[in-house]
Amino acid sequence: MNTLTEIFFSGSHWTYVWWAYAITFIIVAASIIIPTVRRKKTLAQIKRKIEKGQQ
Amino acid sequence: MFSSFNFKYFIISAAILLLLALVYAPHSQPLYGDPLKTGTQTKVGVQTEYGLIGTDKFRIYKSQKLEFKYKNMVVTEKINTTAPTTGSLFLLTNWLYQLFFFLITAIAIGYSKPISNFIKKTGSLKYTYNLSGKFIPWIAILALLLATIGIVDGLAFAPTDAKQKDSFRIIYIHVPAAMLCIQAYIVMSIASAIALIWRIKIAEIVAMSIAPLGAAITAIALITGSLWGARTWGTWWEWKDPRMVSVLILFFIYLGIMGLNSAIEDKRTAASATGIFTLSAFVIIPFIYVSVKMFNSLHQGSTQVIGSSDMHPDMARPLIVMFFATMLYFTFALLIRIRGEILIRDRKTQWVKDIALRS
């Protein structure tokens, strides 16, 4: 816990670097995960409809 | 001979390449001076604990000192730049040379059977879905590999900057993201233009898939820039800075495109409406480029990285690697979005049903 506080809240030059890289990592991960999950959901939805005989 | 010439592909490729020439040619280095700086202009730098920031020292022709208050910092330098007018002549020569090169490429595309066939095939959603599926894993692996090399090199091996200390390491994500958010808009505009003129479905899908990705990348550029500015300039945000505000406007444009697209139910009508909006808002792109050159800006001008670089090679190396890594990431993330959108659009076709049943 102390190490994390030091990394993100000590106010040193590296603090700003870690924040920048951490936020970038979260946005990049979200930009990949969200459309992947959505694609899988679309496929599952189409499959469900076929099985129900709606499509 | 002319019967084999595909006029449609020539026009499409010429339009794309002409747009590229218009956007990128002003960036090419003129041999003498910079026409954008012709005449006397004023550029104000900010004196911080790490030295004078916000001036473009490589373009200084002559300078004079004066006192100026800027928030809690004292600005000490005013620079009058007078560039020789011969610069515009060389820039024009450079433009014409690039236009000639692009025209030759467009003619080659018009004649080339394999390229013409490839463009025709990518118009098919099924073909694009299957082809992108083959490339995605390789692009992902290469992007991850380059990003790992770039980040490790940038954080652990690049030397510490004399003035900005370790905070300069934000450059390895801020600069590629800032470049990419503009390039993404250019690609989106080209796709929108093709979709509007020729009503090609895949172009509509590409344009619509770029918008959320562009917004995410612009958000990265803004957040990392703000963090960097907080440490080096002493301010998180400056409303008077044309570069910061114009990139924020670009972020809102991306959000506007996303909003407009989801507000209209019919996909094809939505694509037309957002296409017109995208092309109308394109005016922000040249403004972002010239903002630091034409106005007093806290943000510095562009630094040459490749060739006779202003950066130390050990600092420039990770940046070049990160440029390629971010471009590959963009391609990877874009292909994922395109594939998802293709499935939604073609959900009633047999080939999509087959994929759904196999999944």
Side-chain angles (χ1 to χ4, degrees):
Chain A
M1 193 64 197
N2 281 342
T3 323
L4 269 179
T5 312
E6 211 168 277
I7 287 171
F8 288 107
F9 299 105
S10 70
S12 69
H13 288 279
W14 278 104
T15 304
Y16 292 85
V17 177
W18 293 135
W19 270 109
Y21 278 78
I23 292 167
T24 304
F25 178 77
I26 292 165
I27 295 174
V28 166
S31 73
I32 294 167
I33 294 165
I34 292 168
T36 307
V37 171
R38 195 173 290 166
R39 191 178 135 265
K40 300 255 179 209
K41 272 187 178 177
T42 308
L43 283 173
Q45 205 177 6
I46 295 167
K47 194 178 178 180
R48 247 194 334 269
K49 280 189 177 177
I50 294 167
E51 283 166 355
K52 279 183 184 173
Q54 289 176 356
Q55 211 167 26
Chain B
M1 184 190 171
F2 286 98
S3 61
S4 63
F5 185 72
N6 193 321
F7 193 70
K8 190 180 167 186
Y9 294 134
F10 166 72
I11 293 291
I12 294 175
S13 51
I16 294 168
L17 295 167
L18 184 71
L19 194 62
L20 282 175
L22 289 173
V23 171
Y24 285 103
H27 252 346
S28 56
Q29 294 292 317
L31 294 177
Y32 297 105
D34 188 341
L36 286 171
K37 290 229 162 197
T38 304
T40 306
Q41 290 190 13
T42 313
K43 205 164 171 73
V44 181
V46 178
Q47 188 67 44
T48 71
E49 57 181 305
Y50 307 112
L52 195 71
I53 292 165
T55 58
D56 196 348
K57 63 180 179 180
F58 302 100
R59 291 183 195 278
I60 294 170
Y61 185 65
K62 57 183 178 182
S63 64
Q64 62 181 90
K65 293 249 174 187
L66 65 85
E67 286 271 315
F68 182 76
K69 286 264 179 193
Y70 195 92
K71 273 202 161 176
N72 55 339
M73 294 167 285
V74 181
V75 178
T76 57
E77 201 169 5
K78 180 186 177 184
I79 304 145
N80 293 324
T81 56
T82 314
T85 48
T86 47
S88 50
L89 180 70
F90 283 97
L91 193 70
L92 183 70
T93 322
N94 218 329
W95 267 56
L96 290 174
Y97 168 74
Q98 292 195 18
L99 283 176
F100 175 74
F101 172 75
F102 285 141
L103 195 67
I104 295 290
T105 314
I107 291 169
I109 291 171
Y111 270 114
S112 167
K113 266 265 179 281
I115 296 174
S116 296
N117 287 340
F118 177 73
I119 295 172
K120 200 181 275 180
K121 277 181 185 171
T122 48
S124 149
L125 299 187
K126 184 186 174 185
Y127 178 79
T128 309
Y129 185 91
N130 291 332
L131 186 74
S132 56
K134 283 175 194 163
F135 284 111
I136 277 182
W138 298 106
I139 296 169
I141 290 166
L142 203 57
L144 195 65
L145 190 72
L146 285 180
T148 310
I149 294 169
I151 289 170
V152 171
D153 198 7
L155 293 182
F157 298 105
T160 306
D161 186 78
K163 287 178 181 171
Q164 300 180 59
K165 307 295 175 200
D166 286 310
S167 65
F168 98 96
R169 294 177 202 278
I170 295 173
I171 197 173
Y172 299 119
I173 42 174
H174 174 72
V175 174
M179 281 181 73
L180 197 62
C181 72
I182 295 167
Q183 285 162 351
Y185 199 89
I186 295 168
V187 177
M188 189 168 72
S189 301
I190 293 168
S192 296
I194 294 170
L196 275 174
I197 299 165
W198 289 286
R199 308 288 293 162
I200 298 171
K201 255 189 191 179
I202 193 71
E204 288 175 5
I205 292 172
V206 170
M208 286 314 98
S209 304
I210 290 175
L213 205 51
I217 296 161
T218 314
I220 292 173
L222 285 168
I223 293 166
T224 54
S226 185
L227 282 159
W228 198 0
R231 191 70 192 124
T232 52
W233 296 335
T235 177
W236 293 88
W237 188 260
E238 182 51 63
W239 285 107
K240 286 175 189 164
D241 188 276
R243 175 59 69 87
M244 291 184 208
V245 174
S246 55
V247 175
L248 183 68
I249 292 170
L250 177 67
F251 177 65
F252 288 134
I253 289 171
Y254 275 126
L255 293 186
I257 291 165
M258 286 164 64
L260 188 60
N261 186 44
S262 55
I264 302 168
E265 209 171 307
D266 180 53
K267 293 269 182 192
R268 303 224 75 180
T269 316
S272 299
T274 48
I276 292 165
F277 181 68
T278 305
L279 293 175
S280 312
F282 189 83
V283 70
I284 194 72
I285 299 300
F287 183 79
I288 292 172
Y289 272 125
V290 297
S291 59
V292 284
K293 291 187 177 196
M294 296 186 84
F295 302 97
N296 293 336
S297 170
L298 196 59
H299 198 286
Q300 68 158 72
S302 58
T303 303
Q304 198 175 337
V305 179
I306 299 165
S308 56
S309 177
D310 301 327
M311 283 179 90
H312 189 278
D314 288 346
M315 282 180 175
R317 190 183 53 237
L319 190 56
I320 295 165
V321 175
M322 286 303 284
F323 279 143
F324 287 107
T326 40
M327 261 187 252
L328 284 167
Y329 148 72
F330 176 74
T331 315
F332 168 64
L334 180 61
L335 286 177
I336 292 176
R337 285 193 170 274
I338 289 171
R339 277 162 66 83
E341 193 61 33
I342 287 174
L343 287 182
I344 294 169
R345 291 225 184 184
D346 258 6
R347 64 185 177 277
K348 286 180 181 165
T349 57
Q350 193 53 48
W351 72 270
V352 172
K353 285 177 186 173
D354 291 342
I355 291 172
L357 287 172
R358 280 202 305 270
S359 65

